Amino acid sequence: MATTEIAEPGSPDSKVGRRGDADSRYPFKVLYCGVCSLPTEYCEYLPEPAKCRQWLEKNFPDEFAKMTIGNTPKQDAGGGEAPPAGEEEEKKKQKRGGRGQIKQKKKTVPQKVTIAKIPRAKKKYVTRVCGLNTFDIDLKEAQRFFAQKFSCGASVMAEDEIIIQGDFTDDIIDVIQDKWPEVDDDSIEDLGEVKK
């Protein structure tokens, strides 16, 4: 690990910084943390700076002392002892996400597949299949299956809706029961012709 070295003011190794800092000496020697592999002055911005502090205190106590001199919290006039660095950090650090989001219970949706024939232009129709998602059937897989089976275009429209180009209301009930046996005849409902 590299350590910080200060060159003599009159030596050729020392240069004044671009902004006029007389304290800036080149080349810089940077101390990298063994835990996070960043320069030690950036360790405090990581999610767990306590581990970096422990490593720095163990391996480079003089550097640790320099870094903690400027960052010491104000002591009470009573001269009470400060809590250890890990406890102080734990109190100061906000828990991610606050109180946490309340998970909503899944609504028990009845397992029902609805099939409807929707008119398009002139004498053309599309078939809408809804409710396959309640049986844990992958809609993308079902869409590909319908497109291949009926040799037509099919697409997943909403979160639980497949649109098949053409009128397949008569055949689709048998196809669904053959492909997915968990969908029984009682849970399939044919709505007939409906408007959008």
Side-chain angles (χ1 to χ4, degrees):
M1 296 290 149
T3 58
T4 308
E5 291 182 14
I6 300 174
E8 295 295 321
S11 68
D13 290 339
S14 68
K15 296 179 185 175
V16 177
R18 291 185 184 152
R19 295 187 184 150
D21 295 338
D23 295 338
S24 300
R25 307 271 192 288
Y26 292 95
F28 286 120
K29 301 289 183 179
V30 179
L31 175 64
Y32 290 96
C33 178
V35 176
C36 65
S37 72
L38 290 175
T40 55
E41 56 266 13
Y42 294 109
C43 292
E44 64 184 283
Y45 301 110
L46 293 176
E48 296 184 18
K51 291 181 181 179
C52 297
R53 281 193 194 129
Q54 289 173 356
W55 177 86
L56 187 64
E57 185 177 20
K58 180 181 175 188
N59 295 317
F60 295 96
D62 55 334
E63 287 294 320
F64 179 75
K66 287 180 190 176
M67 292 186 75
T68 55
I69 288 173
N71 296 336
T72 55
K74 294 180 180 178
Q75 298 291 330
D76 292 333
E81 208 169 290
E87 291 178 25
E88 173 188 315
E89 186 64 34
E90 192 64 33
K91 288 179 185 176
K92 185 172 74 171
K93 185 176 175 183
Q94 177 185 356
K95 299 292 183 205
R96 186 174 197 155
R99 297 173 73 190
Q101 296 179 355
I102 300 170
K103 293 183 180 178
Q104 294 181 358
K105 295 179 182 177
K106 282 190 172 181
K107 296 178 182 175
T108 55
V109 179
Q111 291 186 330
K112 182 167 268 190
V113 177
T114 58
I115 298 168
K117 179 171 74 169
I118 301 171
R120 272 185 11 172
K122 298 182 182 176
K123 295 182 180 180
K124 297 185 179 186
Y125 294 95
V126 293
T127 305
R128 181 181 68 195
V129 180
C130 296
L132 289 176
N133 204 16
T134 60
F135 288 95
D136 295 328
I137 296 172
D138 184 27
L139 295 181
K140 283 287 190 182
E141 180 185 326
Q143 172 253 323
R144 280 189 235 112
F145 174 74
F146 291 142
Q148 187 177 23
K149 180 73 176 177
F150 298 121
S151 300
C152 64
S155 61
V156 177
M157 293 305 288
E159 59 188 40
D160 193 19
E161 179 178 279
I162 299 175
I163 300 292
I164 305 166
Q165 293 178 4
D167 180 14
F168 298 105
T169 52
D170 299 332
D171 302 332
I172 201 156
I173 296 172
D174 296 330
V175 169
I176 289 173
Q177 289 176 344
D178 290 342
K179 176 71 176 170
W180 296 286
E182 65 265 17
V183 181
D184 58 342
D185 194 31
D186 296 334
S187 60
I188 298 177
E189 183 180 356
D190 188 3
L191 300 177
E193 186 174 330
V194 294
K195 301 238 175 183
K196 280 188 177 181

